[in-house]
Amino acid sequence: MPIIEMRESIGSLDVTLPKNQSVSIIQKRINLKEGTFQRNMLQMDLFFDDYPQLLGGASPIVFPGIIEFFVTPTPIILTDETVRLTPNAGPLASNQLVLFKAILEGSQVTRFPQDFLATNANFPFFHDQLFITMVFHREQALEEQFCRFAASFYMSYSEKKIPAYRAAMGVISERFASMLAKAQTNGRTLQNVTDLAGSFIPSYNWGGIRPEYMVNGQTLTQFFLNLDSQASEQMQGTGTLRTFAAQARQMVSNPNAFGSVGGSQGSIPDWFVQILPKGVEAGAVRPQFPPRVTQDNPAAAGLGNILMV
């Protein structure tokens, strides 16, 4: 599996920041070898040859805002989220398309993956292209300004040939993830702090583990046939068994046990219906199938069709 090393640069030009527009983007596309390949990003590093500065005043000043730096296999889609309370932030670093992300604030750079992990990463991608994107977020956009910077990026990735169907599914997956990035929402706010996972056993509240009723054993004869070898065993009538079946199917509020409580035979558990004959649950089985009746009247529609009787 060959490993390709690459160094790219972006910048060395004046980025126009229009008036009343707080977000500006500069992007560079890198074409890779065409074909059905899976590539795994292994090592990444970012270096600013010239930190972003605003021009036009008496002297250059450090860019007053946040700059996001991305390396992705597809063009990024700005989200409805904020970064440092400035609108239209780029995708989160947890997004599967983000191979590398950095946030620049003044001269301080925060990276993902961080320096140690960036030398041991293994992020797969399937597109035959890479996009280096920088998103400029100004705190104030009262006037048109110009920003000058220069940045260099190093990366190494492995490359291996894969079947065409697997490469196609990988490209489709990455495009789908790119479209979902704008609407992505993570986590939720708990309206009730007692709903915190781990404060209770969820099975008791949302199904799974429930208590069960046991058939009442007042005497041993209900569990052991303490009878002579020629004695007959007492049997229950069909009507009584159907009453038990109805009690076993009775629904109860969560998290109580299914079935019914009490009665002459004790509590009836829900599993009681599993041992009852089908004739008790659904009625007597007819001794034979009813005769088949067909439509034999040529004047009526459906000649020869079987009639329901």
Side-chain angles (χ1 to χ4, degrees):
M1 184 184 300
I3 296 179
I4 295 95
E5 292 184 313
M6 184 181 300
R7 285 184 288 182
E8 290 288 341
S9 61
I10 186 172
S12 298
L13 76 167
D14 295 341
V15 181
T16 302
L17 307 175
K19 182 179 179 181
N20 299 326
Q21 182 176 321
S22 59
V23 178
S24 297
I25 296 178
I26 180 173
Q27 187 176 78
K28 181 177 184 179
R29 173 174 172 170
I30 305 171
N31 293 321
L32 307 179
K33 183 170 61 175
E34 296 184 356
T36 56
F37 294 99
Q38 174 183 331
R39 299 175 174 90
N40 290 61
M41 188 67 73
L42 302 178
Q43 296 176 327
M44 298 150 285
D45 193 19
L46 174 65
F47 177 77
F48 277 93
D49 303 272
D50 184 14
Y51 279 98
Q53 302 178 75
L54 289 184
L55 308 177
S59 61
I61 61 174
V62 177
F63 180 81
I66 301 296
I67 300 176
E68 295 181 289
F69 181 94
F70 297 93
V71 177
T72 58
T74 62
I76 67 169
I77 297 179
L78 299 182
T79 69
D80 296 331
E81 306 297 328
T82 61
V83 52
R84 296 291 198 279
L85 299 182
T86 58
N88 301 118
L92 301 178
S94 60
N95 189 289
Q96 71 179 66
L97 299 179
V98 176
L99 305 176
F100 181 85
K101 179 178 180 178
I103 294 181
L104 175 64
E105 186 173 9
S107 59
Q108 182 179 358
V109 182
T110 304
R111 298 175 174 87
F112 177 86
Q114 48 98 341
D115 293 342
F116 174 75
L117 295 180
T119 61
N120 297 275
N122 190 12
F123 298 153
F125 63 99
F126 297 88
H127 275 76
D128 54 2
Q129 60 192 14
L130 285 174
F131 289 87
I132 297 179
T133 308
M134 295 184 67
V135 185
F136 296 78
H137 301 271
R138 279 194 296 174
E139 296 175 352
Q140 296 181 350
L142 303 179
E143 59 181 349
E144 184 179 54
Q145 295 175 310
F146 300 93
C147 180
R148 179 175 297 174
F149 74 99
S152 299
F153 182 74
Y154 165 82
M155 56 187 159
S156 67
Y157 59 89
S158 61
E159 185 178 74
K160 67 177 180 179
K161 194 78 173 179
I162 59 175
Y165 72 89
R166 184 177 175 186
M169 294 302 295
V171 170
I172 292 174
S173 175
E174 290 175 353
R175 291 181 180 178
F176 182 71
S178 176
M179 297 175 187
L180 290 181
K182 183 176 178 62
Q184 184 176 10
T185 302
N186 297 283
R188 64 187 181 95
T189 302
L190 295 179
Q191 301 299 328
N192 186 353
V193 295
T194 60
D195 290 339
L196 183 64
S199 298
F200 48 79
I201 301 178
S203 313
Y204 279 110
N205 294 294
W206 289 289
I209 303 174
R210 276 178 176 262
E212 293 188 5
Y213 295 130
M214 295 297 295
V215 177
N216 186 22
Q218 296 180 354
T219 62
L220 292 178
T221 57
Q222 290 184 291
F223 292 92
F224 301 95
L225 296 178
N226 187 18
L227 301 172
D228 296 333
S229 60
Q230 300 298 321
S232 59
E233 181 183 353
Q234 182 180 1
M235 304 294 293
Q236 297 287 355
T238 302
T240 305
L241 292 177
R242 288 178 178 167
T243 301
F244 293 161
Q247 293 176 350
R249 293 194 186 99
Q250 180 178 347
M251 299 298 293
V252 296
S253 59
N254 188 34
N256 297 328
F258 291 116
S260 59
V261 185
S264 59
Q265 298 293 329
S267 301
I268 306 300
D270 61 324
W271 51 261
F272 197 78
V273 294
Q274 299 178 6
I275 62 176
L276 295 179
K278 294 300 181 183
V280 172
E281 297 183 49
V285 179
R286 304 180 74 168
Q288 63 182 18
F289 287 101
R292 189 176 67 171
V293 180
T294 59
Q295 173 60 270
D296 298 328
N297 185 0
L303 178 64
N305 290 343
I306 298 175
L307 297 180
M308 181 69 68
V309 294

